[in-house]
Amino acid sequence: VDFDAIFIPESPKIAGLLIPQLAFHDVRGVVLIGTNLWHSQVLLDLAGQYVQGAIMPDGFFAASLDADVQAFVQRFEETYGEKPGYIEAILYDSATILFDVVNRPNVRFRSDIRTALIDANGFPGVTGRTRFDETGEALKRAYLLRIEGDEFVEMGRR
């Protein structure tokens, strides 16, 4: 093949059925790229040997080496008996940001909250640093994960 990577925007189940077909048709030496849906044991179970080195983004990575993430995961597991996922992590970060802003002495009205969010240089969190643009859209960098063996590993610190 004359390309370096293949992006397969499918669920882990469908990707797990498609990817072994690439090897069957002698498509080798290309980087496989998927969506955050690929961060699933299902993909490893269906196509583990064929997805080695595959790359995917995710909004949260519970196995991150980041100390804040490790502390959050530990507290969450102690409280609920399971690992947190993306939804739990983004809710935690959202609440932390909101509590930070509303507890500032100069924030008294809803409009002050918006201004404080947009004017801030960013808020650290377990889903990464969060900034807001002038329209209020959250700006974040995703975790980049790679499949190595039977696990997902973080590609680089943010």
Side-chain angles (χ1 to χ4, degrees):
V1 296
D2 63 347
F3 43 88
D4 297 325
I6 299 174
F7 175 56
I8 304 174
E10 278 294 350
S11 69
K13 184 174 182 181
I14 292 174
L17 297 173
L18 289 173
I19 293 168
Q21 293 300 310
L22 295 172
F24 177 79
H25 291 285
D26 206 30
V27 176
R28 301 180 193 282
V30 297
V31 176
L32 299 174
I33 303 171
T35 69
N36 63 317
L37 297 176
W38 280 24
H39 187 189
S40 167
Q41 187 62 43
V42 171
L43 182 63
L44 295 177
D45 292 344
L46 289 172
Q49 72 185 55
Y50 303 103
V51 293
Q52 295 303 303
I55 298 170
M56 74 252 20
D58 209 338
F60 175 68
F61 185 49
S64 173
L65 299 178
D66 182 273
D68 291 335
V69 172
Q70 289 179 359
F72 168 69
V73 170
Q74 180 181 352
R75 287 190 315 269
F76 191 94
E77 285 180 316
E78 289 170 356
T79 304
Y80 300 104
E82 60 185 50
K83 281 194 182 304
Y86 174 73
I87 297 297
E88 293 83 5
I90 199 74
L91 287 171
Y92 174 81
D93 280 355
S94 298
T96 301
I97 291 168
L98 183 60
F99 293 145
D100 175 348
V101 170
V102 299
N103 284 312
R104 294 178 183 180
N106 60 332
V107 174
R108 297 180 35 198
F109 305 103
R110 285 190 314 180
S111 59
D112 295 335
I113 294 172
R114 182 182 189 283
T115 301
L117 291 172
I118 292 171
D119 289 347
N121 190 26
F123 299 89
V126 297
T127 60
R129 187 162 203 77
T130 303
R131 292 186 309 110
F132 296 93
D133 68 14
E134 61 280 346
T135 66
E137 187 74 27
L139 306 172
K140 302 179 82 58
R141 289 181 60 190
Y143 287 88
L144 281 179
L145 308 178
R146 179 185 354 235
I147 296 174
E148 292 182 8
D150 61 350
E151 61 185 9
F152 298 89
V153 297
E154 191 173 358
M155 288 183 62
R157 301 295 304 253
R158 296 169 292 133

